[in-house]
Amino acid sequence: MATLEECRSALDKLAENLATANGDLRSATALDRSVSCWIHDLDTTFVGRLVDSRIEDVTTASGPPAERAQIRLTMTGDDLVALVDGELHFARAWGAGRIKLEAGLRDLLRLRKLI
């Protein structure tokens, strides 16, 4: 089972990858939205803001998200680490129910480029 530190490191790596992305990937994440990622096996939520393809102001809280973010992810710590390391394909994991993504229709349409 992934540790809280490994999950935080994976989120930092994801933030770095988004900040250096080009083309369709960069345009898909060029949003200004609140973001949460609940790691249910660790019962911890990471909350931040997606701004111009960067994840900023990330904080950690115990339990599920206290407030509803505009883009919400739910997964295990192992899936987060595998996803960021390129060992887990997002669309397959999402289709299998391993990763849950919730967002408004417009955001989902923009984020489909990531899937």
Side-chain angles (χ1 to χ4, degrees), residues 18-64:
L18 290 176
T20 59
N22 294 314
D24 285 344
L25 181 60
R26 184 162 189 87
S27 68
T29 59
L31 303 167
D32 183 2
R33 300 287 188 271
S34 58
V35 179
S36 69
C37 182
W38 181 35
I39 308 300
H40 57 81
D41 60 329
L42 297 176
D43 198 27
T44 300
T45 300
F46 293 94
V47 179
R49 189 127 196 115
L50 179 63
V51 180
D52 294 327
S53 303
R54 295 182 321 274
I55 301 174
E56 300 178 342
D57 304 324
V58 177
T59 59
T60 306
S62 295

Side-chain angles (χ1 to χ4, degrees), residues 38-115:
W38 181 35
I39 308 300
H40 57 81
D41 60 329
L42 297 176
D43 198 27
T44 300
T45 300
F46 293 94
V47 179
R49 189 127 196 115
L50 179 63
V51 180
D52 294 327
S53 303
R54 295 182 321 274
I55 301 174
E56 300 178 342
D57 304 324
V58 177
T59 59
T60 306
S62 295
E67 295 182 23
R68 186 178 168 134
Q70 292 167 306
I71 298 172
R72 300 166 304 281
L73 290 163
T74 303
M75 66 188 77
T76 66
D78 288 339
D79 285 344
L80 173 63
V81 171
L83 181 68
V84 173
D85 286 343
E87 298 168 4
L88 180 64
H89 189 268
F90 183 89
R92 288 187 198 120
W94 179 65
R98 291 174 61 180
I99 295 174
K100 186 175 180 180
L101 170 64
E102 298 175 278
L105 182 59
R106 284 186 182 181
D107 291 337
L108 287 173
L109 289 173
R110 288 189 74 169
L111 294 171
R112 78 183 186 282
K113 294 175 186 176
L114 301 175
I115 300 170

